Each structure stands twice: as C-alpha cells, then as structure tokens.
Amino acid sequence: MKKATKRLSLLLALVMMVTLFTACGSHVNTAAPSPSSPAATAGTAAKTVKTLKLEGGTDWGAPSPFLNESRGPGTAKMKLVFGSLLEKDETKDVSWLAESWSVSGNDYTFTLFKNAKFHDGKPLTTDDVAFSLDYYKIHPPVSNSLGSGNSYIVDHYTIIDKQKITITVKKATADTLSDLGSFVIIPKHIWEKVDDPNKFKGEGYLVGSGAYKCTKYEGATGSYEFTAFDGWCNGKPAAERILFVPVSNAMLAFTNGEIDITTLPADLMDKYTKDSTIGLVNKANDTGYKMLINFQKCPDFLKLELRKAIYSALDRQSVVDKVFRGAGSVGSAGYVPEGSIFYNKDVVKYSYDPAAAKAAFSGKKYSVTLLSADSGSDVAIAEIIRNNLEAAGITVKVAAYDSATRDKMINSGSYEFALVGNGGWGNNPPNYMRTIFSDVSKNKGGNPHSMGPIGYSNEEITRLAEGQMSETDFNKRIQMFKDLQLLVSKEIPLFVIANQSTYSMYRKDYYSGWMKTYAYQQAEQNRLSYMAR
Amino acid sequence: MKRKIVIFLCSFIVIYVFNFSIPRLMPGDPFSYSSSVSGEDNITDLSREQIEYLRSYYGMDKPFFEQFTDMVSRNLRGDFGLSIHYKRAASDILAERLPWTLFIMTSTLALSLLIGSLLALWCIRSKRADRIVYGVASVISEIPPYLIAILLLFLVAANVRWLPLSGAETAFGVYATELEWIKDVLLHALLPMTAMCLVTIPRFYFTARASFLGIVEKPYILNAKAKGLRERRIRWRYIFFNGITPVIARFFLSVGSTVGGTLLIENVFAYPGLGTVMREAVKYRDYIMIQDVFLLSATIVLISMFLADLINGLVDKESADL
C-alpha cells in the first residue's frame, strides 16, 4: 500500500512539473522589447508617444485580411497593418495609400503615393492593387467592401502606370468611392503563391501596407504589439508602439495605469468629468434598441392608429433613466439618432401617454410574446416594455434567449414582437437605412440588425431608401435621408425605443489624438486615432 | 480491468457522438451570428454568397452523417479541424491553452490535497479546532469559485499594486532567466489558485477527516499506542499513510468539478486557458471548437475517473485484506 501511495505521489508531482515546463518552453520571449512605462517623447499633451496601451485579452484573430475576426476590434487591428486606398476622417473621405483620386461615371482613378511600400521594403504599386482586386474576387476577405459572386462591384480595371489605376465598376452608387477606398492592399509577391488564404500563416503573411507593423501576436493571451512603420508614406504614426494587453477589469486597469483609454461607465460620469486630466470621446447614441413587429403574425397592428398607440404606451424615457443611467436619449421615430449629420430634427415625436394607449387598446385583449436576448440590457428593457404594454391592456410574455438563438429566430421570422439592440447606430446611416426599410433590400442578409419589418411594405419608403444610393450629390442625399426619416416617423414600420451613449476616457496629458470618423464612432478602432495629425 | 476499459471506451464514444451532435442541434449559426455590443459593432455583413462559400469551405453544406464520418476520418489522422471563429487549427489553439489550464488545475488539486489532509490530521487531535475548521469549511465549500474570484479581484488585487489583475504572465515581459519567468507565472497564478483552493481544500479536508477518523478507531492504532510508540509516528506512519488513499482518489474524482471551476475563473482573471475559448466557441457557435474543447475536457475527466476507479479498487482490496 505504501508503495502504491509513493508511486501516486510521484506521478502527481511529475504531471505538475511537465505542465509548468510545457508552458515555460512555449512562452519565454527574450527577444521582445521590455515593457516600458508610458512617456511622451515631446512633453505633455504630445502628438506622439512611445507607447499606447489598450485593453486586450481577447483573441480577435491574426491581423491578416483573411484571419481577423469580423467584428470591430478584429478589423481595426488588421487595418493598422494593411492599408487601403482611402480613409475617412471626421467629415469626409481622405487619402491613405492613394494621394489623389477622381471619379468619372463608372470610372474611379486612384494615384498611389510614389514612395508607398510594404513592410518588407518592396514598393507598393498598381500591380498590387490590381492583384488584390483579382485575388479578392476569388477569395473574399473577412471585411469585404467589394462584394462577391454576382454582387462583385468591379467590372474591370486599367493600369495606367505604376502609380495610377482606373477601376471601372458595374454600377456607380453613392457608396462606391467608399467601397473602393476600403479594400486593403496585399503584396502580390507574397500572396500570388497562396492558394488557400484561410490557412496561410507562412512567411510574410503579416507583411502589410499600413502605418503599423504587427510585431507580436499571441492568440492565447489576446496580446498584440504594433510598431510604427518607418517607411509609411502618408504622415507620421503617433505612437512608436501600440500594445493590446490582457486585463481582467478595464476600469481597474485604467486606474492602475495599465491602459491609456477605456470605456467610462455611466455611473462614474460625475467623478471623471470633474477631473481636468481626463478627456472624453462621446459615442453619442451609438447603441440603439428597436422593437419589431412581425405583421404576418400580428396583422391587426398594420393599422397605423394601433402603432401610434404603442408609442403612446411606451415610457421610453424610463429606459434611458433606469437602464442607461441617463446616458442616452429617447429614440428618434425616424430611426437615425440625434448627433448624426443625417439626423432630421423635424421627425414626428411621440410622447408617453398611457391614458391614450389604454383607450386605444380597450377591449381588444391582445396577447403577444416579446422575443429578447438574455444578455446586456435587453431583458431589463424588455421588462419595461412588458409593463408599459400590459398597463395599456396588451398581455405580454417576455421570451429571452441567448443572442445567437435570438438572431436565428429573428432571421427566420419566428417572433411576434422582438426587441433588437445593437451598436453602430452612429455609423454611416446609408448603410443601414436601406437594408432595414426598403422592401427591395430588407431581410436579405444574415444580420438581425438589418432585418426590417416582416409583412409591412411601403412604396414611398422603398423609393427613398433605394433612391439615395444613386444620388451622388452629398447635400441632396442628406435631404433624401431626412425625407425618409420623416416618412418612417409618420408610418412607424418599427419602434425605436432608445439610444445609449457610451464614453471613452483617456488621460489628456498623455495622449489626446482619439477621434471619431463621420461613419464610425469607436475611437479606439479608427486608425487615424493612431496618427499624428 | 477489461470491463473497466470497455466501459471507459463506450463512455468515450458516447461523448464523442454527443460532442458532434449537440453544437449542430443548438439554435444559431456560426455564419449568421452578428449580435453586437458597443465596441464590437463594425460587423462585416456576410452576403448569402459568402455564407454559402464558407459553409462549403468548412464542409457544413454536407449532410449531417457525412459531416460526422468526415470528422471521424479527420480525427483519426490527427486533424481536429479549423476553428471557424479563430480561423486557426483547433489543435494549435488547444495546445497553446491547455498547459495553462492544466497548470492551474493540477496545482490547485495538489495544494488542496496537501493542505486539506494536513488540516484533517491536525483536527483529529483537537476537537475545538475540528469544530471551527469543519464549520468554516462547510460554508466556504458552498461558495462558487468564480464569486470568490471576483471578490478577490476587487477587494484584494485592486488594492495591492504588486498583485497582477489578469493574464498568466506580464504582457510583453522580458525575462533574464527562466527563474524570473517562473516567479512571474506563479505571481499571476496566485489569485486564480487561491480562489480555486478556497473551495477545493474543504473537499479534501472532509474526505481526509472521514478517512483518518475511521483509522483512528482501528485496533492496530490502539495496539501502537499500547506499545508506547510516539504520537508523531502514529499520526504520520499509521494514520496519514494508511488513510491517504481515499484522498488521492478524491484528487482524481475532483478533476471534473475543478475543470468546471477553472474554466470560469479563467474568465474572471483573463487567464489564457481553455475557459475563454470555451465561452467564445459557444457564444459564436464555433462548432469545430466547441466539439474539440468539450471533447478534451471530457477526456481529461474520463481519464481521471478511470484512475480514481483504479485507486478505489485498491482501497477496497486493502479493506478486504484487513
């Protein structure tokens, strides 16, 4: 017996040692630069710093166009490494790898910077642009603005010289310039030998064309290191290194100086807004919640007066106060949130009027199920809606599922009423207004955020939602969006509950280059946030 | 023995089939999941054509049974598939993460075995100590480890600057020697291991206490005392060594619950083990990763149960001999 015990003890000790040293062998890194305390190179409030540290800890994939995760943090890291022809700033499209461009009908001509080069020092020419177009046609990347199959937007291209290329699209729309400006350029000399980009992790797979090189990526720890590319052709990177480090709690990490920017919880607003050393980026009304009705299952609600009565029944301000802790606003009935350049302040405004709602639903005895996700603020908002609608005389049962299940049910139309919440409402409204409201374009993809009202159609809404795509005059296009919002607010194809604002806070005296683009509010994910401007 | 091996293999086959089927029967889809929270909202909308391309690329356009036979054939060749979410070989991801989870798990169990057994050995001498330890252990053992982990994070780590809040090692750290790295790793493991140990030590304490108390009443202990052997010798040579076997069996039996606890704790401390992989695989419906990570965890638990069974067999044999 003693022998058996001794052997077991030895076995146990052996397992522990093997475990520890297996980890040891694969994780010691003596080549990486040492962790340095943040220090500005040019005094306080400098435009350039040695190191910027951000929250990591999640594996968003390798920053290759084919291996990054398809969500914001994954795409943003890839775009630090791989450059596109154009970029967006606060108000317009600006140059990135292309120093100039022109548009003539379906022809888009781009002129590359003469000194553009890849991270391995090889020149970046129009051959690489053309190769990227051809390659993406066969192998669509994760973030794909060019479309695929029949929806591939490029008809052909003409290489004029090493710097100049004309790309001819099948049909020019208002978004074509942005779409052509967004695809990232990959080096022909590396990728021309690669048959399966989804598995390629060979030499040069992270040789990019962007302002930063990826010098370290550790999936297991969600750690990334990006180093400024000294051969970058368009401006100066703001940090010598950008580090994404694992944190357990971002607020604690920010307080301890482990990271330089983080999300500010609404409950701590007072504390930090009084601190003069703290700067804020307001992602105004960027997250929004809407309620969809499946009119095929609930045809009675096709009557406009009942939809108006639902708006009257909903105490949407209580969602802002109780759930968002005051950080947000009641949703615009026209859908586009306040703060966007496309917002129409003249949309119809529906106020909370429980008595009117009760009168409208009196004696109707409706009973519905409200589908909701079981995460985030969704259940809390669903319960407020349930209480409001029950007070008006509609019996409501809340059915909460995990997000993936909720998505599947919404995509397949398996709901009566559904609450959908998502970020990105402050993004470019043209991208979502058409896919939500146009009878021609809605309910086509796999994204519940783009799902429009099922069983509801409106010719005028469709005309405006589709027509804006062909309008290349920016001001006229904005007006079309305003008209569309006004119509949506009058017709109520869906109910906009509320928008939540979030804030990123950073130390002003260390680095203050964080910015939002006109199309995207996440400052930490905009590559211009990492450029000295 | 043969019977045990057959049961072990049958259990493995059932788990293998379940691991393949359950993710595919779950509602949701790896290609159409696009719910976002603020900060993740720049989601690439996949067109129907792209989704069809990806389905075909990952072999998910094939009938259910064909997918299963493909997987069996691949697995037999040592290919555990390509993760849909991470876009890397699932085996590479598991190989990176498993050592960290095993490290926390085995260290926790070994420490708990040691401390729990010593506590029990001490308590069988002192009734007062036994009363106190028994009461405290009863309460602590019922608290979920992740709750203890959160409390440790906010009450201890947030106020003690030298304790790392997250990760398994200093991010981008450079170490002059292996020893320096081991120190860093141990420091990072301190909080996750403490959270786990606080829950697992009572379990070992209860098992050891029961075993030691059973031995204290054996005639040979009375005989040893009558012979005038020293107290220390009786405690270690007679009680501890003869009573430790069920505690070692408890080690292997605890692997299942420790795997579960460790995976949750890893999420609290952003520890780079299997926990975060499992959470993300389920969240994003990464079928390949779900089946591989669950298969691996289940295999670890099965092997532990098998070993525990063998040890319990030894105990039964020993009891029969006595």
Side-chain angles (χ1 to χ4, degrees), chain B residues 307-319:
Chain B
L307 291 173
D309 214 23
L310 286 181
I311 294 163
N312 279 331
L314 278 177
V315 176
D316 291 345
K317 195 165 173 278
E318 186 187 318
S319 302

PDB file of all heavy atoms in Angstrom, chain B residues 307-319:
ATOM      1  N   LEU B 307      -8.773   6.572 -13.332  1.00  0.00           N
ATOM      2  CA  LEU B 307      -7.711   6.425 -12.339  1.00  0.00           C
ATOM      3  C   LEU B 307      -8.288   6.342 -10.923  1.00  0.00           C
ATOM      4  O   LEU B 307      -7.847   5.537 -10.107  1.00  0.00           O
ATOM      5  CB  LEU B 307      -6.728   7.604 -12.433  1.00  0.00           C
ATOM      6  CG  LEU B 307      -5.866   7.628 -13.693  1.00  0.00           C
ATOM      7  CD1 LEU B 307      -5.064   8.922 -13.778  1.00  0.00           C
ATOM      8  CD2 LEU B 307      -4.912   6.440 -13.709  1.00  0.00           C
ATOM      9  N   ALA B 308      -9.304   7.176 -10.668  1.00  0.00           N
ATOM     10  CA  ALA B 308      -9.954   7.157  -9.346  1.00  0.00           C
ATOM     11  C   ALA B 308     -10.563   5.785  -9.093  1.00  0.00           C
ATOM     12  O   ALA B 308     -10.505   5.252  -7.978  1.00  0.00           O
ATOM     13  CB  ALA B 308     -11.020   8.237  -9.271  1.00  0.00           C
ATOM     14  N   ASP B 309     -11.116   5.218 -10.143  1.00  0.00           N
ATOM     15  CA  ASP B 309     -11.728   3.901 -10.042  1.00  0.00           C
ATOM     16  C   ASP B 309     -10.686   2.845  -9.676  1.00  0.00           C
ATOM     17  O   ASP B 309     -10.929   1.983  -8.823  1.00  0.00           O
ATOM     18  CB  ASP B 309     -12.342   3.579 -11.425  1.00  0.00           C
ATOM     19  CG  ASP B 309     -13.605   2.762 -11.270  1.00  0.00           C
ATOM     20  OD1 ASP B 309     -14.210   2.834 -10.197  1.00  0.00           O
ATOM     21  OD2 ASP B 309     -13.962   2.067 -12.236  1.00  0.00           O
ATOM     22  N   LEU B 310      -9.533   2.963 -10.323  1.00  0.00           N
ATOM     23  CA  LEU B 310      -8.445   2.020 -10.028  1.00  0.00           C
ATOM     24  C   LEU B 310      -8.010   2.137  -8.569  1.00  0.00           C
ATOM     25  O   LEU B 310      -7.803   1.136  -7.883  1.00  0.00           O
ATOM     26  CB  LEU B 310      -7.248   2.308 -10.937  1.00  0.00           C
ATOM     27  CG  LEU B 310      -7.358   1.901 -12.404  1.00  0.00           C
ATOM     28  CD1 LEU B 310      -6.061   2.243 -13.122  1.00  0.00           C
ATOM     29  CD2 LEU B 310      -7.621   0.405 -12.522  1.00  0.00           C
ATOM     30  N   ILE B 311      -7.878   3.387  -8.105  1.00  0.00           N
ATOM     31  CA  ILE B 311      -7.428   3.613  -6.719  1.00  0.00           C
ATOM     32  C   ILE B 311      -8.472   3.100  -5.734  1.00  0.00           C
ATOM     33  O   ILE B 311      -8.150   2.452  -4.738  1.00  0.00           O
ATOM     34  CB  ILE B 311      -7.143   5.106  -6.483  1.00  0.00           C
ATOM     35  CG1 ILE B 311      -5.950   5.520  -7.352  1.00  0.00           C
ATOM     36  CG2 ILE B 311      -6.838   5.392  -5.027  1.00  0.00           C
ATOM     37  CD1 ILE B 311      -5.819   6.998  -7.526  1.00  0.00           C
ATOM     38  N   ASN B 312      -9.723   3.362  -6.033  1.00  0.00           N
ATOM     39  CA  ASN B 312     -10.782   2.869  -5.146  1.00  0.00           C
ATOM     40  C   ASN B 312     -10.762   1.345  -5.091  1.00  0.00           C
ATOM     41  O   ASN B 312     -11.056   0.746  -4.057  1.00  0.00           O
ATOM     42  CB  ASN B 312     -12.145   3.374  -5.622  1.00  0.00           C
ATOM     43  CG  ASN B 312     -12.383   4.804  -5.154  1.00  0.00           C
ATOM     44  OD1 ASN B 312     -11.867   5.215  -4.115  1.00  0.00           O
ATOM     45  ND2 ASN B 312     -13.127   5.574  -5.929  1.00  0.00           N
ATOM     46  N   GLY B 313     -10.409   0.730  -6.217  1.00  0.00           N
ATOM     47  CA  GLY B 313     -10.274  -0.731  -6.254  1.00  0.00           C
ATOM     48  C   GLY B 313      -9.200  -1.185  -5.282  1.00  0.00           C
ATOM     49  O   GLY B 313      -9.367  -2.158  -4.547  1.00  0.00           O
ATOM     50  N   LEU B 314      -8.110  -0.409  -5.264  1.00  0.00           N
ATOM     51  CA  LEU B 314      -7.010  -0.714  -4.336  1.00  0.00           C
ATOM     52  C   LEU B 314      -7.483  -0.614  -2.886  1.00  0.00           C
ATOM     53  O   LEU B 314      -7.165  -1.446  -2.046  1.00  0.00           O
ATOM     54  CB  LEU B 314      -5.858   0.278  -4.544  1.00  0.00           C
ATOM     55  CG  LEU B 314      -4.873   0.006  -5.677  1.00  0.00           C
ATOM     56  CD1 LEU B 314      -3.865   1.156  -5.756  1.00  0.00           C
ATOM     57  CD2 LEU B 314      -4.127  -1.301  -5.414  1.00  0.00           C
ATOM     58  N   VAL B 315      -8.262   0.443  -2.618  1.00  0.00           N
ATOM     59  CA  VAL B 315      -8.771   0.668  -1.251  1.00  0.00           C
ATOM     60  C   VAL B 315      -9.666  -0.493  -0.833  1.00  0.00           C
ATOM     61  O   VAL B 315      -9.548  -1.031   0.278  1.00  0.00           O
ATOM     62  CB  VAL B 315      -9.560   1.998  -1.187  1.00  0.00           C
ATOM     63  CG1 VAL B 315     -10.175   2.181   0.192  1.00  0.00           C
ATOM     64  CG2 VAL B 315      -8.651   3.157  -1.507  1.00  0.00           C
ATOM     65  N   ASP B 316     -10.547  -0.904  -1.755  1.00  0.00           N
ATOM     66  CA  ASP B 316     -11.464  -1.999  -1.435  1.00  0.00           C
ATOM     67  C   ASP B 316     -10.675  -3.279  -1.120  1.00  0.00           C
ATOM     68  O   ASP B 316     -11.001  -4.013  -0.199  1.00  0.00           O
ATOM     69  CB  ASP B 316     -12.407  -2.257  -2.612  1.00  0.00           C
ATOM     70  CG  ASP B 316     -13.386  -1.098  -2.784  1.00  0.00           C
ATOM     71  OD1 ASP B 316     -13.491  -0.295  -1.830  1.00  0.00           O
ATOM     72  OD2 ASP B 316     -14.006  -0.993  -3.857  1.00  0.00           O
ATOM     73  N   LYS B 317      -9.627  -3.491  -1.955  1.00  0.00           N
ATOM     74  CA  LYS B 317      -8.813  -4.690  -1.765  1.00  0.00           C
ATOM     75  C   LYS B 317      -8.139  -4.638  -0.390  1.00  0.00           C
ATOM     76  O   LYS B 317      -8.121  -5.619   0.356  1.00  0.00           O
ATOM     77  CB  LYS B 317      -7.749  -4.750  -2.869  1.00  0.00           C
ATOM     78  CG  LYS B 317      -7.073  -6.089  -3.020  1.00  0.00           C
ATOM     79  CD  LYS B 317      -6.339  -6.134  -4.359  1.00  0.00           C
ATOM     80  CE  LYS B 317      -5.501  -7.395  -4.470  1.00  0.00           C
ATOM     81  NZ  LYS B 317      -4.208  -7.292  -3.812  1.00  0.00           N
ATOM     82  N   GLU B 318      -7.635  -3.450  -0.078  1.00  0.00           N
ATOM     83  CA  GLU B 318      -6.945  -3.264   1.204  1.00  0.00           C
ATOM     84  C   GLU B 318      -7.900  -3.504   2.383  1.00  0.00           C
ATOM     85  O   GLU B 318      -7.555  -4.172   3.338  1.00  0.00           O
ATOM     86  CB  GLU B 318      -6.403  -1.836   1.264  1.00  0.00           C
ATOM     87  CG  GLU B 318      -5.543  -1.557   2.475  1.00  0.00           C
ATOM     88  CD  GLU B 318      -5.197  -0.078   2.552  1.00  0.00           C
ATOM     89  OE1 GLU B 318      -4.890   0.510   1.494  1.00  0.00           O
ATOM     90  OE2 GLU B 318      -5.260   0.470   3.643  1.00  0.00           O
ATOM     91  N   SER B 319      -9.124  -2.964   2.245  1.00  0.00           N
ATOM     92  CA  SER B 319     -10.119  -3.132   3.317  1.00  0.00           C
ATOM     93  C   SER B 319     -10.437  -4.611   3.484  1.00  0.00           C
ATOM     94  O   SER B 319     -10.570  -5.108   4.607  1.00  0.00           O
ATOM     95  CB  SER B 319     -11.398  -2.376   2.974  1.00  0.00           C
ATOM     96  OG  SER B 319     -11.092  -1.038   2.777  1.00  0.00           O
TER      97      SER B 319
END
